[in-house]
Amino acid sequence: MLSKGPESWLHTFQVCSVIDSAELCRQTHPDREFVEEAIKASIRVNEYLHYLNTNHTLYNAVIKAEQEGNLLTDEAHRVAHYLRLDFERSGIHLSAEKVDRVNRLSIEISQLCRQFNQNIVNDPGTVDIFPASHMPRNLHHLLKPIYRSTSVISKDSWRPRGTMNEKGFRITTDPHTLSCVLQGAPNDEFQVRKMAYIKGNSVPHANLGVLDQLIASRHELAQIMGYRSYAEFTVKPNMASSPEVVMSFLLEMSKMVKPSADEEFKKIRDFKREKCGQQYGDLEPWDEAYYTAMMKSSAHDLDSSVVASYFPLPQCIKGLKVLVESLFGATFHSIPLAPGESWHPDVLKMSLHHPEEGDLGYLYLDLYSRKGKYPGCAHFAIKGGRMVSETEYQLPVVALVCNFSASHNSSTARLNHWELETLFHEFGHALHSLLSRTVYQHFSGTRVALDLAEAPSNLFEYYSWDYRVLKTFAKHYSTGESIPEKLVESMQGARKMFAATELQRQIFYAVIDQTFFGEQPTPPTSSIVADLKRQYTSWKHVDGTHWEARFNHLLNYGAGYYSYLYAKCFAATIWQKLCQEDPLSLTTGTALRTKFLQHGGAKEPSHLLSGLVGDGILRNFNGGMVPDISCLCNEMKLEKV
């Protein structure tokens, strides 16, 4: 069947487009009626997909195509092979009773994932602070003013002589607001940071039960499929190939980073003692963002509001245009939206155009925060690229969704640098999709091995730190002055100050993910998190908190979060060996596009990586592949174990 060409799979491609569009609608549409319909459509189409994935007529056709040897290209062979594996990972080879159970578990898992995300939106957590004077003025625009009645005491008799409305503030402990409060709320007797940290890391409580069910359902699914754990089920088709290889890699990284992370912890603790006195010297988790920001500012004379003044959102979008023009000789053109095409007035649409090749794809930008919207930043593939006929190519369509807030005295967002880094990260995913030129949609863009998928996005984070890149678009919002090189050098210096602590945190997250979906941990998950935090980080766990209740990477990246660390190593190597010397050259971009990005998942990931920068980027280990960590160690000045 595959030998007849990609048009044979038109029906499957249409199903994928419906699912992807419904997911974007569900996460971004402001009209609840649209969201509810998108949820219904997603459920119905997922159920239909489970039917297709257990259809023996289709399965037998794929087997026949793979075995007969009539397929004309390597990509056709590869797509037949992976389609067969997809069928088998859906349980088609099992008894009818087991297939039915697999289908019911798959539907249940999808519903649990939706519920987990919806609970995060419904219950972000709140903390009420009285009086209002306990919150610094620079945070007021993030907070909701509230009032309460209080008794007014007579000075003469010390008896109540009436009531008055006392003003306070309500902190909504969504991740963005919580981050700002933890960084900006000073020490006081009311311990605002402590209250915000505990609340923000204790909601939504309902997700503890959802997570327990998700772990149990995934474990049962994996065991029916013949695997010891969901981690084994997830990791096996990827470069790592087994949880044992993943854990060995994570342990190597943990040992490598521990001395530097411990040293950073001591510096933060000593700084707190210097500021507060020995009696307040214990370092708490809610102290980290506050004191590290203060230390960075002190050491490098940094003011986050000054940094943000060079990153008004329109200029940052210009930065994306600079990247594609310099690296790929292409341009973004704004194009009007058709009636009913946009889901919100803030949405922009651009075409990526090449002077010789024509349009390469389409990008929607939905960058401002609003109530009910997907709470983080993400890349949504709406339509994958594929050959429709010998002369026609279906262009990829993607959406880049973020949650930037307008400045309190402006209608335009000014991004903190970490927000710019996030924008460039997601843009790396978008470019992977837009520049993909695979024959089959099955391999389009980010449809690659899980432990390769984050490499382009991590690579493009480097571009957000390089002065040669920043000076092309980072302009002061009022004066138009280009960002000073000295300021960028200070930002880079501050970035390095606690890099080991951040790397250790990512290792900790990956170990949690592997443990939850390993050979059936014993709930409660909070106990597992507490034990692993003591084992893998320098920081204490706060009893009663359950940070994992809104760690939504456990959904899409269940047992695959390690891929971020694989990507971090791959990106460091690619940057140093290919991009660092001249990051904006057409030569660099051509190599990235022709040797890596355009192939999506149509080639073996190890061959793509080696073809781009040479054999040293990864190595064989215990039946799997692990990244070489030398370039990352060099960048972070860490000693290899």
Side-chain angles (χ1 to χ4, degrees), residues 484-495:
E485 188 169 6
K486 276 195 169 184
L487 178 59
V488 177
E489 288 172 355
S490 294
M491 290 157 54
Q492 292 167 341
R495 176 197 187 195

Side-chain angles (χ1 to χ4, degrees), residues 589-608:
T590 300
L592 282 173
R593 183 183 178 190
T594 60
K595 295 182 179 181
F596 187 20
L597 298 174
Q598 76 177 29
H599 299 292
K603 292 190 175 183
E604 280 295 324
S606 58
H607 295 167
L608 284 175

Side-chain angles (χ1 to χ4, degrees), residues 320 323 420-428 460 463-464 473:
L320 307 183
L323 288 178
L420 177 76
E421 185 180 40
T422 301
L423 178 65
F424 275 45
H425 175 103
E426 299 303 336
F427 188 60
F460 275 88
Y463 282 85
S464 72
F473 71 89

Side-chain angles (χ1 to χ4, degrees), residues 74 103 168 242 253 272 352 362 369 413 435 501 515 618:
D74 289 341
N103 285 342
S242 75
M253 294 281 283
K272 180 183 178 182
L352 181 61
Y362 300 97
S369 64
L435 297 176
T501 298
T515 305
L618 73 175

Side-chain angles (χ1 to χ4, degrees), residues 51-64:
Y51 159 74
L52 289 179
N53 289 339
T54 53
N55 184 303
H56 282 270
T57 303
L58 291 176
Y59 177 55
N60 291 333
V62 169
I63 291 175
K64 184 179 179 183

Side-chain angles (χ1 to χ4, degrees), residues 260-276 280-296 497-502 505 538-539:
S260 296
D262 285 346
E263 186 61 33
E264 289 175 3
F265 180 87
K266 290 173 186 173
K267 287 180 181 177
I268 303 167
R269 184 191 62 199
D270 292 345
F271 184 82
K272 180 183 178 182
R273 288 175 176 173
E274 178 188 319
K275 293 292 180 183
C276 302
Y280 301 108
D282 283 349
L283 199 57
E284 305 291 350
W286 49 84
D287 290 328
E288 181 185 355
Y290 181 70
Y291 287 109
T292 55
M294 197 182 295
M295 292 169 75
K296 288 176 180 180
M497 284 183 71
F498 304 103
T501 298
E502 181 53 38
R505 187 178 356 262
S538 310
W539 297 80

